[in-house]
Amino acid sequence: MIKTFKRGGVHPPENKISAQVAIEVFNTQDTVRIFTSQHLGVPAEPVVTKGDTVKVGQLIAKSSGFISANVHSSVSGTVTSIEAIADHMGFKKTAICIKIEGDEWEESIDRSPDIIREIKHTPEEIIQKITDAGVVGLGGATFPTNVKLSIPPGKKAEALIVNGAECEPYLTSDHRLMLEAGEQILIGMEIIRQALKIDKTYIGIETNKMDAINHLKSFTQWIKHIEIVPLKPRYPQGGEKQLIKAVTGKEVPINGLPIDTGYVVCNVGTVYSVYEAVQKNKPLIDNTVTITGKKLKTQKNYLVRVGTPMSQLIESVGGIPEGTGKIVSGGPMMGKPIANIDGPTLKGSSSILFMTEEESSRGDSSNCIRCAKCVGVCPMGLEPYLLLRLAERKMNDQLEANFVHNCIECGCCLYTCPARLPLVDYIRLGKAEVLKIMRSRK
Amino acid sequence: MSNMRISPAPHIQGKQNTRSLMRDVIIALMPALAVSICFFGWGTIIVTLTAILSCVLCEWLIQKFLLKEEPSIKDLSAIVTGLILAFNLPSNLSPLLVVLGSVVAIGVGKMTFGGLGNNPFNPALVGRVFMLISFPVQMTTWPKPTGFFTSIDAVTGATPLAIMKEGLANGMTVQEITAANPDSFSYIQMLFGQIGGSLGEISTLALLIGFGYLLFRKVITWHIPITIFATIFVFAGLLHLADSAHFVDPLFHLLTGGIMLGAIYMATDYVTSPMTKKGMVIFGIGIGVVTIIIRAFGGYPEGISFAILFMNAFVPLINRHMKPKRFGEVKKNG
C-alpha cells in the first residue's frame, strides 16, 4: 500500500496545469529590489551602499545573528538606493535596489552546465558553504538551512527526509525541478548526508508525479543511501510532521521538533540550492516560480532572479487574466494573497497563482452545524470549531489547554467547513496571542 | 488590481456546504419514502407533505416575525426535520396533529435555542416524543401495510415490537408469540418493509441504501450507526442467550422499531451528536444500551427515540472530555 500520513488532511482538486511546462529562464528588466529579510529570523545587514557596483552573486547583505541568512545580488549593476519598499503583501521592508547593467558574474561561481559529482568537502566546509550562500528552506518557511543542519547539542540526526510531496494544488516548481535537475537533487542529498554524518536519506514524492519518481530511480549510482518513497496524494503531506509520519510512520512528540525524532526535513528546492552552493559556489540568487491559473493562456515555470518585480512576470504571460478574483503567492491552501503586484520576488517565492473569481469566493458564513468535519480533517488532532469560539472570546488559557499552539495553519478546517466559518483565520490570531504569552513566561 | 480579494489562506473551498449536506440527507431518505408510499399510499404522502410544509413555514414565520432575522430556510434543514418527523409518525395520523408535532419540533425543539446549530436535542425527536406522550392512541395505531390506493381507514395493525411486548406482558414466551403471529415476524418482510409501524421506519433495506449513500457522499461517518447496531446486537444477544423464552433474538431488535431510522438518520444529526470519533462511539454505545433496557425492561415497546434524546443530553459532557488524540501525544519515539 502506498504510504501517507494517518490523521486528517484533505485532497483538493490538484489542478497541476503547468506540470508539463519546462523551466524557462526569465530575463529580468531594469531593476531588482532585494529585501534584506527573505528568511525567518533577523534581517541581514547591508554591506553595500548607494552607488556601489555589484556583480551577480556578490554579497550585499550579511547575516546578523544566529538565525539569519546572507543575501546576494541576483544581477550585476549599480546600487541605486537602500530603502523601505512595499512587498507583495503591502508591508514595508528594507530593500537594496539595483539597476541592472549587463550580466557579469562573480568569477568564483561555476556557470558551466556540467554536473559536479565528486564531493570534496568536509562536513564543516559544507555547512560553511551553505551559510555563505544564504541558502534558506524553500518549502515555505524560509528557515536558514545552515541553522537547520547545525544539530543542537544533545540531539542526534539519524536521517534526512526530502520533501518532494508538493501537496499544494497548482504548484509545479518542485515537480519540474525533480524532472530537470533530478541528479543534482540526489547529489545535494548526498552532500547533506555527509554533512550530517548519517546513513539514511529519504525523498517522499506523491504518486501524481510518477514521472519524477521514475526519473530519480534511474540514477542508480546515487540511490545507495537514498530511499525514494512514493506517497498517496494528500494535503498537507508536505508539512514536516506529516511528512515524517508518512515516510517513517513516526510521530514527532507534542511540542517537539522534528530533530527530537532524529529527522531533518528539507524541501527539494532547498536541496538543489545546497548542491549549487557546495558544488558550484553559487549563492541562492534565483529560484523556480510557477505562473499558473485556470484562466491563464500561457502557463509558465520560470527560473527567476530574486528581486524581480512580480508585475514583470505577470506581464510576460499577458497580464492579469479576465475574471481573476485573487492573486496568490504560493499554493492555494497556504499561500499569501498578493496586494501589490509591484512587489519583488523572494528566495521563497514558489508561484504566482491567478484564482478565478469563483474559486476565490468563500461564500457567506452561517451557523456552525457541529458536523465535526473540521475535527476530522485536522492533521494535528485539534478541534478547530472549539478553537474558533475560544479565539473569538480571547480565552487564552483555554486555547492553550486545547493546544492551539500546535496548529500548523494548513487551512484544512476552513477548506472543509460547510458553514464557511473563518476557522483558521481566528485560530491564527489565537495562536499568535498564546505563543506571545508562552514566550513571556520563559 | 483594486477589485482583487486579499483575504488570508486558504484560498479555495471544498464543495460541501450546509445546503448540499442537507440535500444529501433528503436524497438518502427517498428510498424509504418510496417504500412507504408503496405500502401506505396517500397516507404517507399527506403526512409527509404536511410535516415538511409546516416545519418550513414555522421556521420562516419565527425568523421573520419573532426573531426579526434573515430567514435561513434555504439551508434545507427544516425540510430534513419535517421529513424525519413524518418518518416517525403513523401514516394515518390526522394532518392537524402533524402540524402540531411540526410546530413543537421546530418551535420548541429548534428555534427556542437559536436555530440550526444551537439546539441540544434532535428537533424531530422532540416533536415525536411530545406527540407520543400527548396522543398515545393516535401515535400507536398504525394502518396495515397493504398497498397504494387503499383508504386511510384500512384495518389497523400493531407493530411487531408492540405485539411482542404485549405477549410477554401476558405471560407468553417469545416462541409462543412468534408462532401465534407468523405474519408479523417474518424477517424478510421487515427487510422490505411490509410490517406495521411509523411510515418511514418500516423498510430496513431502503434505509440501509440511504446509509450507503450518506457514507459514499461523506455526509456522515460510520461510527455512530455501526456502534449502535453492534451494541444492540451484543446486548440483546446476551439477554437472548441467557433467557430465550423472554428475550427475543438480536436480529429482531435490529429490524424493528425504527432502529435503522434512528441510528442512521437521527442519532447522526450533526448538531446533537459528539464532535470526536471517540465521543461518537461512546454516544452510540449509550444509545444501544438505553434502547435495549427500555425495550426489555421498560414500559414502551420501542426505545430508540428516548435513547437518542437521553444521550443528546450527554453530548456537551462527551465533547468536553473526549478529546481527539493530538498529533504526537503519548507516543514517544524510541
Side-chain angles (χ1 to χ4, degrees):
Chain A
M1 216 177 88
I2 307 167
K3 292 180 176 177
T4 187
F5 57 101
K6 292 289 179 299
R7 185 170 333 140
V10 294
H11 188 208
E14 289 169 9
N15 287 322
K16 305 268 191 187
I17 313 167
S18 51
Q20 299 310 317
V21 182
I23 298 173
E24 186 181 319
V25 174
F26 183 81
N27 284 314
T28 308
Q29 306 294 316
D30 302 327
T31 49
V32 292
R33 290 172 299 168
I34 303 171
F35 286 117
T36 56
S37 173
Q38 314 209 22
H39 47 264
L40 208 75
V42 190
E45 202 57 51
V47 292
V48 289
T49 50
K50 186 177 169 181
D52 286 1
T53 53
V54 293
K55 292 179 182 173
V56 181
Q58 184 179 331
L59 184 74
I60 52 172
K62 200 170 161 30
S63 159
S64 62
F66 180 60
I67 299 185
S68 183
N70 286 340
V71 176
H72 302 78
S73 177
S74 60
V75 296
S76 62
T78 312
V79 177
T80 53
S81 65
I82 299 175
E83 59 181 330
I85 61 152
D87 71 1
H88 57 282
M89 304 264 295
F91 295 114
K92 288 209 163 183
K93 293 193 293 188
T94 306
I96 298 168
C97 308
I98 302 166
K99 173 109 187 78
I100 301 172
E101 290 147 2
D103 194 30
E104 199 185 329
W105 288 56
E106 285 274 21
E107 284 81 32
S108 57
I109 300 172
D110 174 3
R111 296 184 63 201
S112 72
D114 308 336
I115 294 173
I116 313 292
R117 295 184 175 83
E118 194 190 345
I119 302 162
K120 293 179 279 197
H121 306 284
T122 64
E124 291 72 29
E125 285 167 359
I126 291 171
I127 304 276
Q128 191 56 49
K129 274 176 165 291
I130 293 170
T131 313
D132 291 345
V135 178
V136 299
L138 300 182
T142 61
F143 189 78
T145 302
N146 59 307
V147 182
K148 186 177 252 182
L149 299 184
S150 309
I151 307 304
K155 309 275 185 205
K156 193 175 175 310
E158 270 154 24
L160 167 73
I161 300 177
V162 173
N163 174 12
E166 202 161 53
C167 57
E168 278 262 19
Y170 286 103
L171 303 193
T172 56
S173 49
D174 289 353
H175 184 186
R176 289 316 305 177
L177 206 57
M178 286 189 280
L179 285 175
E180 296 179 39
E183 189 172 6
Q184 290 91 316
I185 289 168
L186 297 180
I187 298 169
M189 288 173 70
E190 178 62 21
I191 293 168
I192 298 176
R193 188 187 74 78
Q194 292 188 10
L196 292 173
K197 301 175 195 133
I198 53 176
D199 289 329
K200 188 78 192 164
T201 57
Y202 303 88
I203 177 165
I205 306 171
E206 293 192 343
T207 51
N208 53 9
K209 294 178 272 291
M210 278 316 290
D211 50 352
I213 293 173
N214 293 329
H215 180 62
L216 293 185
K217 275 187 179 160
S218 67
F219 298 104
T220 43
Q221 68 171 116
W222 294 112
I223 54 181
K224 188 171 52 168
H225 292 287
I226 295 175
E227 188 180 331
I228 297 168
V229 186
L231 300 171
K232 189 175 159 211
R234 193 154 184 80
Y235 175 87
Q237 194 134 242
E240 269 189 332
K241 292 179 177 179
Q242 278 66 37
L243 190 68
I244 293 172
K245 177 81 179 173
V247 169
T248 70
K250 290 190 179 150
E251 261 183 36
V252 178
I254 207 160
N255 301 333
L257 293 169
I259 191 65
D260 295 332
T261 42
Y263 296 110
V264 174
V265 180
C266 290
N267 178 269
V268 287
T270 319
V271 175
Y272 179 68
S273 302
V274 165
Y275 162 83
E276 289 201 312
V278 176
Q279 303 295 75
K280 299 277 201 176
N281 280 321
K282 186 183 159 195
L284 180 47
I285 54 160
D286 52 16
N287 57 325
T288 325
V289 180
T290 303
I291 318 285
T292 186
K294 278 184 184 160
K295 299 249 166 129
L296 203 60
K297 289 196 182 68
T298 41
Q299 311 284 325
K300 292 284 184 189
N301 289 296
Y302 277 135
L303 184 67
V304 180
R305 302 278 177 97
V306 171
T308 300
M310 288 183 179
S311 51
Q312 285 190 18
L313 297 169
I314 295 173
E315 270 159 40
S316 80
V317 292
I320 300 170
E322 199 68 24
T324 300
K326 199 186 219 178
I327 312 174
V328 174
S329 166
M333 290 301 286
M334 281 191 85
K336 300 277 191 271
I338 296 178
N340 168 28
I341 54 169
D342 294 324
T345 63
L346 309 170
K347 287 177 182 178
S349 297
S350 57
S351 83
I352 296 177
L353 176 58
F354 298 96
M355 312 292 301
T356 64
E357 175 64 33
E358 193 195 340
E359 274 175 300
S360 63
S361 165
R362 270 195 193 173
D364 295 330
S365 52
S366 50
N367 278 6
C368 172
I369 54 169
R370 305 178 67 83
C371 64
K373 287 183 186 294
C374 57
V375 181
V377 298
C378 179
M380 298 307 289
L382 307 178
E383 297 146 290
Y385 80 100
L386 179 66
L387 298 178
L388 165 70
R389 288 190 301 179
L390 296 173
E392 275 176 331
R393 291 163 179 73
K394 298 191 167 47
M395 295 168 74
N396 295 328
D397 293 351
Q398 281 296 309
L399 279 170
E400 191 181 343
N402 284 289
F403 298 95
V404 72
H405 46 285
N406 275 23
C407 172
I408 57 170
E409 302 179 26
C410 64
C412 287
C413 51
L414 205 161
Y415 172 81
T416 205
C417 179
R420 306 284 187 258
L421 293 168
L423 290 158
V424 71
D425 301 347
Y426 270 97
I427 295 170
R428 224 180 257 129
L429 294 176
K431 177 185 166 186
E433 226 20 67
V434 166
L435 285 177
K436 214 188 289 171
I437 294 167
M438 288 171 81
R439 271 195 296 267
S440 71
R441 234 182 264 145
K442 277 177 190 164
Chain B
M1 196 58 215
S2 56
N3 54 355
M4 293 291 164
R5 293 193 175 87
I6 48 166
S7 51
H11 309 290
I12 46 174
Q13 275 282 332
K15 285 203 177 64
Q16 285 181 328
N17 55 43
T18 305
R19 191 181 151 89
S20 79
L21 292 170
M22 295 299 163
R23 192 175 52 219
D24 277 338
V25 176
I26 294 170
I27 293 171
L29 288 167
M30 285 304 118
L33 185 66
V35 170
S36 184
I37 292 173
C38 282
F39 285 122
F40 297 124
W42 283 109
T44 292
I45 298 174
I46 291 165
V47 169
T48 307
L49 285 181
T50 313
I52 291 175
L53 285 176
S54 34
C55 279
V56 172
L57 191 67
C58 180
E59 180 163 319
W60 186 81
L61 288 172
I62 288 176
Q63 287 188 314
K64 186 90 180 167
F65 296 106
L66 279 180
L67 301 174
K68 305 208 189 311
E69 60 181 32
E70 188 64 26
S72 58
I73 52 168
K74 271 187 280 180
D75 67 21
L76 307 182
S77 65
I79 295 183
V80 172
T81 304
L83 252 180
I84 291 184
L85 176 66
F87 273 39
N88 277 294
L89 302 174
S91 59
N92 58 350
L93 195 68
S94 146
L96 266 178
L97 291 181
V98 177
V99 172
L100 184 62
S102 305
V103 170
V104 171
I106 292 288
V108 179
K110 184 175 176 187
M111 301 315 289
T112 43
F113 297 99
L116 183 65
N118 301 318
N119 47 298
F121 298 101
N122 186 325
L125 276 178
V126 170
R128 170 189 156 77
V129 169
F130 164 79
M131 301 286 285
L132 194 60
I133 296 169
S134 312
F135 307 97
V137 177
Q138 291 91 326
M139 284 292 286
T140 52
T141 315
W142 292 275
K144 270 216 155 79
T146 42
F148 204 14
F149 298 122
T150 41
S151 93
I152 292 171
D153 299 321
V155 203
T156 57
T159 65
L161 266 177
I163 297 169
M164 183 62 72
K165 190 94 194 174
E166 203 185 320
L168 287 171
N170 293 336
M172 293 164 81
T173 66
V174 170
Q175 289 71 21
E176 287 165 0
I177 301 164
T178 318
N181 303 278
D183 277 1
S184 298
F185 293 97
S186 154
Y187 288 167
I188 296 296
Q189 287 188 13
M190 291 175 188
L191 202 58
F192 290 103
Q194 207 178 355
I195 54 171
S198 299
L199 70 87
E201 72 181 19
I202 50 172
S203 171
T204 299
L205 190 66
L207 292 166
L208 282 176
I209 291 170
F211 184 33
Y213 178 78
L214 291 180
L215 289 180
F216 172 73
R217 297 279 295 168
K218 295 196 165 76
V219 175
I220 58 170
T221 61
W222 58 269
H223 297 80
I224 294 174
I226 298 296
T227 330
I228 295 177
F229 297 155
T231 309
I232 288 180
F233 194 83
V234 170
F235 190 21
L238 287 175
L239 290 175
H240 182 65
L241 282 180
D243 182 359
S244 64
H246 293 98
F247 297 105
V248 70
D249 67 282
L251 203 56
F252 173 81
H253 278 294
L254 283 178
L255 293 172
T256 57
I259 292 294
M260 292 295 149
L261 181 63
I264 299 168
Y265 302 91
M266 300 196 286
T268 56
D269 170 37
Y270 287 147
V271 183
T272 56
S273 63
M275 299 296 281
T276 63
K277 305 279 178 281
K278 253 189 283 182
M280 290 176 186
V281 168
I282 290 173
F283 182 71
I285 292 173
I287 290 173
V289 169
V290 175
T291 303
I292 295 301
I293 289 177
I294 294 174
R295 284 186 176 190
F297 309 108
Y300 280 94
E302 62 129 272
I304 192 154
S305 302
F306 293 107
I308 293 171
L309 284 176
F310 182 74
M311 289 308 292
N312 282 165
F314 284 95
V315 166
L317 197 66
I318 293 174
N319 283 340
R320 174 168 288 236
H321 293 284
M322 290 298 127
K323 295 294 182 181
K325 186 178 169 287
R326 315 293 186 187
F327 187 99
E329 199 179 32
V330 185
K331 202 168 146 193
K332 285 246 161 71
N333 180 48

